[in-house]
Amino acid sequence: MSNLQRVMMKSRLPPMCPNPRFPKPSDRGFRRQTDYNPLMWDAFFAEKRDVVTKQGKFRVYLSAPTEQTGAPLLVLLHGGGFSALSWAHFSSEVTKLIHCQCLAFDIRGHGDTYTEEEDDLSAERLATDVGDVIQAMYGESVPPVILMGHSMGGAICVHAANMFVLPSLIGVVVIDVVEGTALEALASMQSFLRSRPNTFKSIQHAIEWCVRSGQVRNVESARVSMPGQIVNIETKQLATNELPLKAESSSEEKLEFKHPNAIAEDAEAGSDSATGPADPEPPVSPPPSAGNVRKYAWRIDLSKSEKYWEGWFSGLSQKFLDIHVPKLLLLAGIDNLDRALTVGQMQGKFQLQVLARCGHAVHEDRPHEVAEVLATYLIRNRFAQPTADGQFLKHMPAC
């Protein structure tokens, strides 16, 4: 029989019965197990520090200092509801490409920062906090500063630059925040906040929600950033203070794959009858459902900060264009540009870069690409030097 005949004969045979012991990805009940266990901050930062100012205590995370003289300091500001740990993966990536040091701190009302008047989230107050933290850490010997912020943090970067709170500022980077689209989104912001769960039964549950809801599309980023956004309801402590988790709490149940065509063994089916009749036992009350356990809640109630939202974004585009240092605007979509920024970009007033296939948290979804874009921007403006092994794809300004 020739090979052609064999192929034709096989194509007419009925399909083979699948082996229930070896499930396939297409089988019902099969799913790949994702690790939602939280990660520690020290896997990405070299040091954490509590900086005390007149307003209170700010939690600061620092990467390892660089040996090169004149290397810039990247001051990283997170978005509303996030924490400084949202910059963890980005900090680890960018320090591999260029000589710099990263400084990320929890903004007032977020993370492990505790201040007077925590509810005061006005743009002026938050911008002043940036200057106070840097002044408390470096005094008069502040290195060259690149101010970089995401969403609300990007708006604070623009306000801080216009208020001249950092005399050594040499560059501003804003991630995915534009005045026009931001103000339009405020109308539906309360509905979005109400759609989020108010509590979580575990840290892993919160991380899983973060990924499945699309807030962060990178599982590894969510594992380190999400614990900085929730607090233990009983102790009122941030979830990061409970890490590392104990072995029993971090272990996950193993999945058992059962094929629909599998038949139970007779020994298993008749195990109860083989033991003979037993005395009836008193009914035992079932344990409380795990779905009703409320152990963690959000660190900050963003709905209460509504009165400050318009102040963050109103007039932001013109203020961004008025900054007299080199500027970089990094967006998740070209449609996010408003009219003022479109005209400014055509006039070459700032560098624009668009990264597709990512969500609002661009620096968490694609930390390596964002690090490459920033490294290209800093080297192009001669603000930083590449490391010895800093071979990377240089992104030219493009949309």
Side-chain angles (χ1 to χ4, degrees), residues 55-58 111-116 118 236 238 299:
Q55 295 294 323
K57 175 181 68 70
F58 290 82
D112 256 330
T113 289
Y114 297 95
T115 63
E116 300 176 358
E118 283 207 340
K236 305 300 181 183
L238 201 68
R299 163 66 173 89

Side-chain angles (χ1 to χ4, degrees), residues 267-289:
E268 294 179 0
S271 59
D272 293 339
S273 59
T275 56
D279 295 334
E281 296 181 356
V284 180
S285 57
S289 174

Side-chain angles (χ1 to χ4, degrees), residues 112-396:
D112 256 330
T113 289
Y114 297 95
T115 63
E116 300 176 358
E117 301 178 355
E118 283 207 340
D119 295 333
D120 183 5
L121 298 180
S122 62
E124 294 76 14
R125 178 71 269 167
L126 297 181
T128 304
D129 287 340
V130 176
D132 291 344
V133 170
I134 301 302
Q135 176 68 25
M137 292 184 64
Y138 296 95
E140 300 299 327
S141 57
V142 183
V145 171
I146 301 293
L147 202 52
M148 185 173 183
H150 164 247
S151 191
M152 179 198 75
I156 303 308
C157 286
V158 175
H159 288 285
N162 279 270
M163 294 171 60
F164 302 101
V165 298
L166 296 173
S168 61
L169 182 68
I170 60 174
V172 173
V173 181
V174 174
I175 298 181
D176 209 38
V177 57
V178 172
E179 176 185 354
T181 53
L183 291 176
E184 291 176 1
L186 294 183
S188 58
M189 184 57 65
Q190 287 287 5
S191 299
F192 165 74
L193 295 176
R194 286 194 295 269
S195 68
R196 303 191 307 175
N198 294 324
T199 58
F200 302 97
K201 59 185 179 182
S202 66
I203 300 177
Q204 293 92 330
H205 180 223
I207 296 172
E208 183 176 2
W209 172 88
C210 180
V211 176
R212 291 183 178 274
S213 66
Q215 175 173 305
V216 175
R217 302 182 183 182
N218 186 340
V219 179
E220 297 303 312
S221 294
R223 291 172 64 191
V224 64
S225 66
M226 193 61 190
Q229 303 174 40
I230 55 177
V231 294
N232 189 307
I233 296 177
E234 296 180 358
T235 64
K236 305 300 181 183
Q237 294 292 316
L238 201 68
T240 55
N241 296 318
E242 301 179 2
L243 303 181
L245 296 177
K246 297 180 180 179
E248 58 269 15
S249 61
S250 62
S251 60
E252 297 182 359
E253 296 181 359
K254 296 182 179 180
L255 296 176
E256 293 184 0
F257 302 110
K258 294 184 179 180
H259 196 275
N261 296 330
I263 302 175
E265 296 289 341
D266 294 339
E268 294 179 0
S271 59
D272 293 339
S273 59
T275 56
D279 295 334
E281 296 181 356
V284 180
S285 57
S289 174
N292 297 329
V293 176
R294 298 169 47 186
K295 190 173 181 181
Y296 297 92
W298 294 104
R299 163 66 173 89
I300 180 174
D301 186 357
L302 284 176
S303 61
K304 296 181 179 179
S305 63
E306 183 177 8
K307 59 183 178 180
Y308 301 112
W309 293 350
E310 188 172 350
W312 294 343
F313 307 115
S314 183
L316 185 65
S317 294
Q318 190 58 49
K319 291 179 180 178
F320 177 73
L321 295 174
D322 291 340
I323 298 175
H324 297 296
V325 297
K327 303 173 287 294
L328 170 63
L329 179 61
L330 185 59
L331 299 178
I334 188 62
D335 296 336
N336 295 345
L337 275 182
D338 57 18
R339 180 177 179 180
L341 291 181
T342 301
V343 174
Q345 194 269 334
M346 291 180 174
Q347 295 174 344
K349 293 185 176 181
F350 64 93
Q351 178 179 331
L352 173 66
Q353 193 76 43
V354 177
L355 290 181
R357 301 185 303 277
C358 57
H360 178 52
V362 183
H363 59 298
E364 290 200 72
D365 293 346
R366 301 177 66 180
H368 182 70
E369 287 83 351
V370 174
E372 289 181 336
V373 170
L374 181 69
T376 304
Y377 158 78
L378 295 180
I379 295 174
R380 178 170 172 260
N381 288 279
R382 300 182 179 179
F383 293 151
Q385 296 296 325
T387 58
D389 56 347
Q391 301 296 325
F392 61 93
L393 176 63
K394 293 180 174 59
H395 295 257
M396 291 297 101

